[in-house]
Amino acid sequence: MRTDEFMPTSVGEARVAWYPGQGKPRAVLAVGHGTATGIEAPDLQALAKTLPAQGITVALVEQPYRVVGDPSLSGPTILDAVWRELWPRFESARLPVIAGGRSAGSQVACRTARDLKALAVLALSYPLNGPGQARELLDTGRPTLIVQGGHDPFGRPAQFPALPSTMELVEIPQADHVFHVPYGRQAALDRLTTAVGGWLDRQLPPAA
């Protein structure tokens, strides 16, 4: 069951949509949205639908610029600052917290993970050939999963640099930046959620 929480930040309210983990709680996955899509993006909703059954609480984070409708609040410095302000709320359950995001949201997660001591980083559709940078991605300092469409114009899997052993890259065949595929989006989303769920199981103690 989804619960929305509006949280004050230094630049206005953010919205966090909470999807509580079922059974014994294992972790919190905080996920930020991209520039063109909000928290209703199909991949984020797919994670929110499937991961709670594994004991993972999913927190989908809507940045203030979308909540208040002010594009001037969408710069990376502000996005990172808001994420840092919200982070103690994610930690309040005293569970491991994984930082995640799609596209621009994945950049925020990558840039802040080390300082915030996130357990790990989930990067969906990382914009390697857009505003992103290989250095930003490689400097997370945390185990990192990248899920990338095979036809993503912002970075196909083959274009990524060599990754250290702590980082994994999963390709969704023929998918674009928002995981549209010619063979049916649900099949692509199933691949995505299976990959993320398996990776989270490897980062966390076994579910009770």
Side-chain angles (χ1 to χ4, degrees), residues 18 20 24 45 71 75 80 88 90 97 129 135 138 150 176 192 204 208:
W18 292 95
K24 184 177 181 180
Q45 289 297 312
D80 289 3
F90 308 143
V97 183
N129 295 338
R135 177 185 55 78
L138 295 173
D176 64 11
L192 184 151
L204 297 167

Side-chain angles (χ1 to χ4, degrees), residues 48-72:
K49 180 180 179 180
T50 60
L51 293 181
Q54 297 179 224
I56 309 297
T57 290
V58 178
L60 301 185
V61 181
E62 187 171 33
Q63 285 272 352
Y65 80 89
R66 289 188 67 93
V67 176
V68 304
D70 184 352
S72 70

Side-chain angles (χ1 to χ4, degrees), residues 12-23:
E13 280 191 325
R15 177 166 65 121
V16 180
W18 292 95
Y19 298 81
Q22 301 165 16

Side-chain angles (χ1 to χ4, degrees), residues 154-180:
F154 291 98
R156 299 188 180 203
Q159 295 175 307
F160 278 71
L163 301 175
S165 61
T166 55
M167 304 184 78
E168 303 176 38
L169 192 154
V170 171
E171 177 177 347
I172 306 300
Q174 302 180 59
D176 64 11
H177 193 60
V178 292
F179 298 111
H180 277 300

Side-chain angles (χ1 to χ4, degrees), residues 87-118:
W87 193 259
R89 178 68 179 92
F90 308 143
E91 295 180 312
S92 63
R94 299 186 182 278
L95 294 169
V97 183
I98 297 96
R102 66 159 286 104
S103 195
S106 70
Q107 293 182 265
V108 176
C110 288
R111 288 191 297 257
T112 59
R114 187 189 298 268
D115 289 345
L116 294 175
K117 297 181 173 58

